[in-house]
Amino acid sequence: MDGDQVEKMVLTKDGRKTAVDKECDGEEKKSVESKVYMDYNATTPMAPEVIQTVTEAMHEAWGNPSSSYTAEATFVPVSKITGQVEVDDIIAAIRPTTCLVSIMLANNETGVIMPISELSQQIQILNQNRMALGLPRILMHTDAAQMIGKGRVDGQDLGVDYLTIVGHKFYAPRIGALYVRGPGVTTPLHPMLFGGGQEWNFRPGTENTPMIAGLGKAAELVNKNCEDYEAHMKEVRDYLEKRLEASFGKQRLHFNSQFPGAKRLCNTCNFSVWGPGLQGRMVLSHCKTLLASVGAACHSEKGDQPSSILLSCGIPYEVAQNALRLSVGRDTTKEDVDVIVEDLKQSVAQLEQNRVT
Ligand SMILES: Cc1ncc(COP(=O)(O)O)c(C=O)c1O
């Protein structure tokens, strides 16, 4: 190549590498010599269809997906009075493009039970009108992780298309399942993982037989004994709330899971002992026997910040800061309650003493 020329290589779409001589005057002239690219392990050219999709996305999807104003989803707040999501609020938030409504069946911190059946009924009516207008059908999903084992859960009664099941919340192994009404037939279901054709091509990988058997057994136990489990947990939880009230006094105690007009889980007691320096974490760290949480474990990275769930339910900041979530199980006894209430009293007394001295 002459000194006054520069060479650049152009990859053509059939993978040929063509040398282009660029003369100093800027005019491009293709070299007669064509080269053959055989380095597809190093990289590949984009397929024409891919280029088209990328180009379209650059034209139409240029917003920042993480910006709050470009929300692929509409978030509907819960009511600050009832702590539950209101059916009318969901219906009002539905847009022509809405195709899925996803709501947890019972909240993991407050235990408030959401009105899923009522909402499904409304959505069913809406879907009939939408079909006539050629709009997408709205599918309903509920996360029943917290409800199973603490109250009756029936996919038919709830009227949902999808329902999430989390085994380790109801004495099963750490395995989950998704209930789908007519998977791939009446309700769309697409795999998230690809590979083997197990589970009707919905989820690849060899089935974990012992865990699946464990989940089935736990579900069978719940089916058989649900009312007994529920009655026991409710009795112990109610006793706990009475003992807390008697120990700390109505003025100092705030129950964060009792909302007028809302049903709640039988086993959950979220409360705050009012006072400076009594943040939930502090109180728990001074307890000698009680093992409990200040909120959901999956939000434990939030540190000392009060629970966003409690704040969104209208619990004042100073109260939410002191919140503790106690959840009783099938084997919790009233004697256990007596022990941990005493433990809490001593922890609070110790923290108050430390403030004075
Ligand atoms: C409502 C709800 N959904 C889902 C989960 C997730 O469970 P895991 O992290 O075990 O999958 C939890 C766990 O606390 C939960 O409370």
Side-chain angles (χ1 to χ4, degrees), residues 62-252:
W62 50 267
N64 182 337
S66 300
S67 302
S68 52
Y69 53 80
T70 52
E72 207 178 55
T74 307
F75 294 90
V76 180
V78 294
S79 153
K80 289 194 186 324
I81 296 162
T82 63
Q84 64 180 21
V85 66
E86 297 298 336
V87 173
D88 289 348
D89 293 344
I90 297 282
I91 297 295
I94 284 172
R95 296 182 290 184
T97 49
T98 303
C99 56
L100 178 74
V101 171
S102 178
I103 300 172
M104 52 175 35
L105 183 51
N107 184 267
N108 42 9
E109 291 196 12
T110 60
V112 167
I113 298 170
M114 307 297 165
I116 302 296
S117 303
E118 294 85 330
L119 181 60
S120 298
Q121 283 165 20
Q122 295 279 330
I123 286 185
Q124 239 173 37
I125 297 166
L126 216 64
N127 272 341
Q128 283 162 8
N129 300 334
R130 285 169 68 94
M131 262 166 63
L133 296 168
L135 295 173
R137 171 180 149 217
I138 299 168
L139 296 157
M140 274 287 299
H141 165 255
T142 194
D143 176 348
Q146 289 294 342
M147 185 81 184
I148 296 174
K150 300 166 191 162
R152 278 272 161 219
V153 175
D154 183 326
Q156 296 290 335
D157 287 351
L158 291 168
V160 292
D161 301 289
Y162 308 97
L163 184 144
T164 298
I165 299 162
V166 178
H168 69 103
K169 305 289 186 191
F170 61 101
Y171 296 74
R174 284 189 189 153
I175 180 176
L178 181 70
Y179 158 86
V180 183
R181 187 201 296 266
V185 184
T186 47
T187 305
L189 182 66
H190 302 284
M192 291 175 71
L193 304 169
F194 298 89
Q198 291 94 341
E199 301 192 48
W200 301 277
N201 282 315
F202 288 127
R203 186 194 182 279
T206 305
E207 294 87 345
N208 193 343
T209 320
M211 297 299 124
I212 294 169
L215 186 72
K217 182 46 108 183
E220 192 183 305
L221 287 172
V222 164
N223 232 2
K224 205 162 120 204
N225 304 314
C226 191
E227 279 72 25
D228 292 345
Y229 295 154
E230 193 178 351
H232 171 74
M233 287 188 271
K234 184 174 181 318
E235 192 180 334
V236 176
R237 191 272 316 273
D238 290 350
Y239 177 71
L240 167 65
E241 293 189 342
K242 278 204 188 80
R243 291 282 287 110
L244 287 170
E245 222 168 60
S247 301
F248 294 102
K250 272 190 177 170
Q251 301 302 320
R252 291 200 68 193

Side-chain angles (χ1 to χ4, degrees), residues 12-86:
T12 60
K13 69 177 176 203
D14 62 354
R16 295 199 170 270
K17 203 171 191 181
T18 305
V20 174
D21 295 339
K22 193 171 187 181
E23 288 175 2
C24 283
D25 62 4
E27 203 183 303
E28 284 185 354
K29 193 177 75 185
K30 246 186 204 167
S31 155
V32 192
E33 185 197 0
S34 233
K35 298 188 180 176
V36 176
Y37 181 75
M38 280 208 193
D39 202 11
Y40 287 95
N41 282 3
T43 191
T44 61
M46 275 195 278
E49 296 89 338
V50 175
I51 293 174
Q52 192 183 339
T53 303
V54 170
T55 309
E56 281 168 13
M58 283 170 139
H59 277 295
E60 287 155 31
W62 50 267
N64 182 337
S66 300
S67 302
S68 52
Y69 53 80
T70 52
E72 207 178 55
T74 307
F75 294 90
V76 180
V78 294
S79 153
K80 289 194 186 324
I81 296 162
T82 63
Q84 64 180 21
V85 66
E86 297 298 336

